[in-house]
Amino acid sequence: MNRQPPREGVRLLLTAGAIVLAVILVVTGLAVIGGIFIAVIAMSNVGSNK
């Protein structure tokens, strides 16, 4: 009874996929927030320079 059932591998794969997806979402979210933040600072600098 040493053989693992196939469900174990599938569950591991799903868990790994979920973690990868979460990391990608976090990185993308941070990039979007950072981009908006930089855009706001750039716009405020342009506005104050006039």
Side-chain angles (χ1 to χ4, degrees):
M1 297 292 286
N2 271 347
R3 259 188 2 174
Q4 283 186 339
R7 280 187 186 176
E8 193 72 28
V10 171
R11 200 177 65 183
L12 196 71
L13 199 74
L14 285 176
T15 305
I19 291 168
V20 169
L21 198 71
V23 169
I24 290 171
L25 283 175
V26 168
V27 170
T28 305
L30 286 176
V32 169
I33 291 168
I36 292 170
F37 193 65
I38 289 167
V40 167
I41 290 171
M43 291 300 266
S44 68
N45 281 347
V46 168
S48 65
N49 281 346
K50 283 184 179 178

